[in-house]
Amino acid sequence: MRIRFWLLDITYDMVGDIPEIRMFGITDTGKRVVVCDRSFRPYFYVVPKQDVPMDAVLRGLKKLGLRAKVLSLDVVEKKYFGKPLKVVKVTCQRPPDVPTLREEARSLPFVQDVLEADIRYYMRYMIDNDIYPCTWHEVEVEEIEKPRDWQFDAVYLAKGVPKPIPEMRSVPELKVLAFDIECYNPTGAPKPEKDPVIIISIATNTGLKKLITAEGRRDRDVLWEFVRVIREFDPDIIVGYNSNEFDWPYLLERSKYVKVKLNVSRLNTEPATSVYGHISILGRANVDLYNFAEEIPEIKVKTLENVADYLGVKKKSERVLIEGHEIYRYWDDESRRPLLMRYAMDDVESILGLAEKFLPFAIQLSAITGIPLDQVGAASVGFRVEWLLMRYAYKFNELVPNRVERPAETYRGAIVLEPKPGIHENIAVLDFSAMYPNIMIKYNISPDTYVPPMEEIAPDMVYVAPEVGHRFRREPPGFYRKVLETLIKYRKAIREEMKKYPPTSFEYRILDERQKAVKVIANATYGYCGWTGARWYMREVAEAVTAWGREMIKKTINYATQLGLKVIYGDTDSIFVNYDEDRIRKLIEWVEKELGLEMKPDKIYVRVFFTEAKKRYCGLLPDGRIDIVGFEAVRGDWAEIAKEVQEKTIEIVLKERSVDKAIEYVHRVIEELRSGKVPLSKLIIWKTLSKDLSEYKVLSAHVAAAKKLLELGYKLSVGDKVGYIVTKGSGKLAQKAKPYILVKSIDEIDVEYYIDKQIIPAAMRILGYFGIKEDQLRTGRKQKSLLEFFT
């Protein structure tokens, strides 16, 4: 019988001495199934040293595997960095034996190198068979007996290799469960060995909403009920927010102490840490949405409530907000516990809302890169690009280089202009579309086209990078060029296909998310080639790309100036100019014609403020949002009051164009602090312990606070955040830093410290440019008009 299934997850296991690929999927009839394939075997390549006869190589390799079964040795022709090469393909019986066989082969005197022995077995299976996660496949199968504790409708044994069905683009109806946990935390950061899970909030895309709560501080039943709900609802995807780093590790550790088995996978097993630090739940896709929030540069502090607010999921003004360190107080206080319940439900509703925003893109990113859905968010951009490159390498018959440890290398990067300080009105940010990928295509920049300095070659056969002089063959097309051209062509085809559907249709949405995923990967290729951890890393490639990029930016700036456009800033692949629609149109046309690149307006700022420093500015967008780049408001080592003051100061200056009002605002905050009207929670300074307390040579404030907690019997470990408040007293800052949980009254705080070291410095980063003195913020003395600072 033949079935069609959408691939949700994949793994492998050993059945006796046979490796079994297990593909977890959803059929076109809605069944949850496992498709098992026992036909594939692991392999790697041995590269002989030059001038060693292949017969001698084969004879030597036959001695491999005295303790492991080698099935075959085959001489094959491949390419390595574009050059033809004969290698031996070593196929063996068991994936666990590959590391041993690799080292044995590498130690042989006639072996130059061993390649592709570090590719994960199930990823190798997908690469070789052109199988992609989150896409449809068809396969001939026979149904086999399902293990009693597996939570599937059917288990099949594949009678052949699954074949992709590219015309099927739909996504099946997926069951999504969102969850979040709240822990009792009277000592600050909760510890699973002693602090119970008091609430687990759950929401599903079918409308289920549930709070699982502890009896006092007894949470064993909470964990049992959590397992029951998951197994009963049987989700395809489980989503959380920072769940790979906190929720799942905490639940797993806590379950050991209360003796509960978290058997929530479809194979009736517990979650386990897998590649890239993500938590794997076999048969389900566990997706940590924080991974995707991290990639939104406009959101500076990526708390759940900030991200949900920014994306229109749930406004901060319409939800309950409770400081994390206050949770245990709300639990202990019967009158305030309902607020904590509402807070927990607001959190999980926000997570489910973010899933609706992020999952369509995540699914298409998985389908493009070939990385399973539960891993693709946790994988770095470099790994996403690399897995796609490995697929193309297989198609182009290219060998994949090994990953090697390299020291960091510096090279001159992109151009960043000195900004024109001041406040500028009506400014357009013009972006080169895919500048670096297009440069790599145009000049055939790739590791396999690079010509070393000592190699002789006719000048008309190479492109020569400006400034650095690196040479790249014009022909044949390099590996990077072929991949990038394929991606760009594919994206254009998707965009053409989108025109067939109304923007409100499901088909349009899927295609739109897919073209976004292709764009992200294509644009990330340059960053990959400059990453020292990359398999295809070559410094000269990255250096040449930025050299051509600098040349193109300079030419664009010169022509913009000739047109009469005022260039106030430039960074990497964008320039900031005064918004003049006609002249900008002429500049865009010139860039396309003369440089062969596409340029388009990315943002229009109603008003933008630059200091003298590069990469430090803030701008007012037409919809009233503020863009902040490079200021302290995004840093974590300032108290909330300092961040709040800086953000509000920026808002007043940009929206109201009044330094006087900004001074009044800062002075009002200072007076509120002096009169005890600022909540203690806004004065906490959070700092992470980056090493064991015994290793700190200098007694900094957060270390001193941590030591005080230890004296009181609290347990702390590396990675914990320590919250402290600076209190009254004499001596150094460390002597005045007190754990926030020990500060009971606003009267204890060192008001002048917060004024002099937090509030005023944060405001002066902005107001200092306008000639404001610190004393004016203390006294509230007015300032002359802001208009003279406009350019």
Side-chain angles (χ1 to χ4, degrees):
M1 109 177 118
R2 298 190 74 79
I3 65 164
R4 292 181 169 190
F5 72 100
W6 190 85
L7 182 57
L8 175 69
D9 193 13
I10 185 169
T11 188
Y12 93 93
D13 204 350
M14 297 299 298
V15 179
D17 210 34
I18 304 295
E20 179 179 85
I21 291 287
R22 292 174 179 170
M23 292 167 275
F24 308 110
I26 302 162
T27 69
D28 53 358
T29 59
K31 285 184 176 181
R32 273 57 184 176
V33 300
V34 188
V35 178
C36 303
D37 189 344
R38 299 172 185 167
S39 66
F40 191 69
R41 296 294 178 268
Y43 65 87
F44 57 89
Y45 296 104
V46 170
V47 182
K49 289 182 178 176
Q50 285 186 350
D51 303 325
V52 178
M54 193 58 74
D55 287 346
V57 173
L58 291 172
R59 283 197 303 272
L61 288 176
K62 283 179 181 176
K63 299 174 185 176
L64 269 183
L66 296 177
R67 293 177 303 279
K69 192 173 180 181
V70 174
L71 299 179
S72 64
L73 300 171
D74 301 290
V75 178
V76 294
E77 292 188 358
K78 305 288 284 185
K79 288 183 290 180
Y80 195 41
F81 288 95
K83 296 176 181 177
L85 190 65
K86 280 190 175 182
V87 294
V88 179
K89 181 180 180 182
V90 180
T91 304
C92 51
Q93 175 68 26
R94 294 161 30 91
D97 292 335
V98 170
T100 302
L101 290 169
R102 174 190 61 201
E103 295 310 311
E104 284 185 29
R106 188 172 279 156
S107 66
L108 296 172
F110 53 82
V111 171
Q112 179 72 36
D113 208 349
V114 177
L115 300 175
E116 303 198 11
D118 59 347
I119 298 175
R120 294 197 296 279
Y121 178 62
Y122 61 85
M123 295 296 286
R124 174 89 272 172
Y125 174 83
M126 287 198 292
I127 289 171
D128 288 21
N129 293 302
D130 205 28
I131 293 170
Y132 284 83
C134 298
T135 62
W136 289 93
H137 304 83
E138 188 171 36
V139 63
E140 184 75 25
V141 298
E142 65 170 287
E143 188 167 358
I144 58 176
E145 186 178 353
K146 179 182 71 172
R148 185 174 54 83
D149 53 359
W150 284 21
Q151 197 171 5
F152 293 95
D153 296 313
V155 178
Y156 299 109
L157 183 64
K159 307 303 286 183
V161 175
K163 300 297 180 188
I165 315 173
E167 64 271 19
M168 286 186 72
R169 295 197 195 91
S170 62
V171 175
E173 286 192 19
L174 298 166
K175 297 169 72 175
V176 180
L177 180 146
F179 83 102
D180 191 45
I181 70 173
E182 308 300 338
C183 303
Y184 192 72
N185 60 340
T187 62
K191 298 293 182 186
E193 64 269 21
K194 63 182 180 65
D195 294 320
V197 178
I198 49 178
I199 303 173
I200 300 181
S201 48
I202 290 172
T204 72
N205 64 342
T206 61
L208 171 68
K209 293 182 182 179
K210 185 179 181 67
L211 291 178
I212 306 171
T213 57
E215 286 289 332
R217 298 176 198 170
R218 296 186 299 276
D219 62 346
R220 191 167 188 266
D221 288 345
V222 171
L223 300 183
W224 276 126
E225 179 64 7
F226 181 55
V227 173
R228 189 196 67 77
V229 170
I230 289 179
R231 296 196 68 79
E232 184 177 286
F233 179 68
D234 191 24
D236 303 302
I237 301 174
I238 299 178
V239 295
Y241 194 81
N242 200 32
S243 51
N244 280 336
E245 295 293 325
F246 178 71
D247 300 69
W248 281 119
Y250 199 96
L251 288 171
L252 287 165
E253 191 65 23
R254 182 66 187 163
S255 67
K256 293 177 185 176
Y257 286 93
V258 297
K259 296 181 170 51
V260 170
K261 282 284 187 183
L262 283 183
N263 291 341
V264 295
S265 87
R266 279 184 166 146
L267 271 62
N268 198 37
T269 57
E270 291 191 294
T273 302
S274 187
V275 293
Y276 316 123
H278 93 284
I279 302 294
S280 173
I281 303 175
L282 294 174
R284 314 187 197 278
N286 169 51
V287 179
D288 187 343
L289 300 173
Y290 180 76
N291 296 141
F292 296 96
E294 277 191 305
E295 297 173 12
I296 305 176
E298 292 84 0
I299 307 173
K300 306 307 177 186
V301 181
K302 294 174 175 59
T303 58
L304 174 59
E305 59 267 22
N306 283 353
V307 177
D309 183 75
Y310 180 83
L311 294 177
V313 169
K314 191 180 283 286
K315 292 182 179 178
K316 288 170 76 172
S317 59
E318 297 175 354
R319 61 152 297 160
V320 175
L321 293 171
I322 296 176
E323 293 290 339
H325 61 277
E326 289 281 302
I327 284 172
Y328 80 98
R329 297 184 192 274
Y330 281 76
W331 183 254
D332 286 343
D333 186 339
E334 291 284 351
S335 65
R336 292 201 291 175
R337 193 178 288 185
L339 266 180
L340 180 61
M341 301 292 195
R342 183 63 246 173
Y343 166 80
M345 186 52 68
D346 283 343
D347 270 1
V348 80
E349 287 174 353
S350 296
I351 293 169
L352 187 63
L354 291 183
E356 292 175 4
K357 299 285 187 182
F358 290 137
L359 280 180
F361 174 75
I363 285 168
Q364 297 307 321
L365 189 63
S366 174
I368 294 298
T369 60
I371 302 174
L373 178 59
D374 64 337
Q375 299 175 21
V376 74
S380 68
V381 174
F383 283 121
R384 294 174 194 171
V385 172
E386 189 162 88
W387 281 112
L388 182 67
L389 291 176
M390 287 161 72
R391 284 179 174 266
Y392 278 103
Y394 181 81
K395 290 176 183 177
F396 299 152
N397 204 35
E398 277 274 350
L399 288 165
V400 175
N402 287 325
R403 186 180 308 286
V404 296
E405 292 289 331
R406 301 181 184 91
E409 291 189 283
T410 58
Y411 57 89
R412 191 176 171 194
I415 193 168
V416 182
L417 299 181
E418 294 288 342
K420 295 189 184 301
I423 292 182
H424 305 266
E425 297 210 314
N426 207 23
I427 297 298
V429 183
L430 304 181
D431 267 8
F432 285 93
S433 299
M435 174 194 255
Y436 286 165
N438 280 306
I439 286 173
M440 294 168 77
I441 290 171
K442 183 175 182 177
Y443 297 108
N444 204 24
I445 306 172
S446 188
D448 51 316
T449 61
Y450 172 66
V451 180
M454 304 307 293
E455 186 174 325
E456 291 187 9
I457 190 169
D460 62 349
M461 294 180 68
V462 293
Y463 293 110
V464 183
E467 301 177 38
V468 294
H470 301 318
R471 301 174 299 167
F472 297 88
R473 287 185 178 83
R474 292 172 180 260
E475 294 293 339
F479 180 51
Y480 282 159
R481 177 196 267 183
K482 288 192 287 187
V483 172
L484 288 168
E485 283 180 336
T486 304
L487 289 173
I488 290 170
K489 182 179 178 182
Y490 182 41
R491 184 170 180 240
K492 284 181 180 177
I494 296 171
R495 290 164 72 90
E496 281 300 311
E497 181 75 8
M498 287 169 64
K499 294 176 183 178
K500 299 177 183 177
Y501 303 99
T504 54
S505 69
F506 188 68
E507 293 87 351
Y508 184 95
R509 186 184 181 194
I510 290 174
L511 290 167
D512 190 35
E513 296 296 344
R514 177 158 289 207
Q515 68 87 17
K516 287 177 189 173
V518 175
K519 178 184 176 181
V520 165
I521 293 300
N523 287 342
T525 305
Y526 157 70
Y528 171 80
C529 75
W531 171 41
T532 53
R535 292 175 186 268
W536 279 277
Y537 172 76
M538 183 177 283
R539 179 183 58 80
E540 291 82 0
V541 167
E543 207 165 44
V545 174
T546 55
W548 263 301
R550 290 192 298 273
E551 181 181 68
M552 290 184 176
I553 283 281
K554 288 174 185 175
K555 286 180 177 179
T556 302
I557 290 169
N558 288 339
Y559 191 74
T561 304
Q562 290 175 34
L563 288 173
L565 287 168
K566 185 178 180 182
V567 180
I568 65 165
Y569 185 59
D571 185 355
T572 310
D573 59 355
S574 61
I575 59 173
F576 292 58
V577 300
N578 58 296
Y579 186 55
D580 181 321
E581 200 167 342
D582 185 54
R583 288 172 178 167
I584 285 174
R585 178 181 51 77
K586 290 178 181 176
L587 177 62
I588 289 171
E589 289 172 354
W590 179 87
V591 166
E592 187 173 342
K593 181 181 177 183
E594 298 298 324
L595 302 182
L597 296 174
E598 183 184 345
M599 174 182 261
K600 62 178 188 290
D602 177 47
K603 291 177 184 174
I604 306 294
Y605 287 121
V606 175
R607 206 163 291 121
V608 64
F609 166 58
F610 279 96
T611 67
E612 292 86 351
K614 297 177 180 180
K615 296 183 181 289
R616 183 177 290 182
Y617 60 89
C618 41
L620 173 64
L621 296 163
D623 62 4
R625 287 183 293 122
I626 304 285
D627 250 357
I628 300 175
V629 177
F631 286 95
E632 282 79 1
V634 306
R635 282 172 43 184
D637 54 351
W638 289 69
E640 184 64 33
I641 189 69
K643 298 176 189 176
E644 192 177 280
V645 163
Q646 188 172 86
E647 289 175 349
K648 187 65 177 176
T649 301
I650 288 169
E651 184 179 330
I652 292 170
V653 167
L654 289 178
K655 286 187 176 179
E656 303 187 43
R657 299 195 296 177
S658 173
V659 167
D660 280 353
K661 287 186 178 179
I663 293 172
E664 286 174 11
Y665 163 71
V666 178
H667 180 65
R668 186 166 65 251
V669 172
I670 290 172
E671 289 304 304
E672 287 175 356
L673 182 63
R674 284 181 168 144
S675 59
K677 295 179 181 177
V678 174
L680 280 172
S681 61
K682 290 189 177 182
L683 304 178
I684 302 171
I685 301 168
W686 292 94
K687 197 87 171 177
T688 302
L689 291 174
S690 58
K691 50 191 174 183
D692 191 271
L693 283 176
S694 62
E695 296 177 30
Y696 282 96
K697 305 300 181 190
V698 178
L699 187 66
S700 56
H702 76 296
V703 173
K707 289 187 174 181
K708 288 173 185 174
L709 287 172
L710 285 182
E711 290 170 7
L712 294 170
Y714 297 117
K715 292 183 179 180
L716 292 167
S717 54
V718 176
D720 282 347
K721 282 189 173 182
V722 176
Y724 66 90
I725 289 175
V726 179
T727 58
K728 293 174 182 174
S730 57
K732 295 179 179 179
L733 181 64
Q735 294 171 292
K736 299 192 291 180
K738 202 171 179 180
Y740 75 89
I741 58 172
L742 301 182
V743 180
K744 304 302 180 185
S745 167
I746 194 74
D747 296 330
E748 296 179 53
I749 72 158
D750 184 342
V751 171
E752 296 311 311
Y753 167 81
Y754 283 95
I755 293 171
D756 294 343
K757 303 298 184 184
Q758 292 276 328
I759 294 172
I760 287 179
M764 286 297 290
R765 294 291 190 276
I766 310 301
L767 298 178
Y769 174 77
F770 304 106
I772 303 302
K773 305 299 181 188
E774 290 186 6
D775 189 54
Q776 289 175 263
L777 301 181
R778 291 187 179 89
T779 61
R781 195 170 71 246
K782 304 294 187 195
Q783 165 70 23
K784 52 194 173 183
S785 168
L786 183 62
L787 293 177
E788 66 183 84
F789 294 100
F790 282 74
T791 58

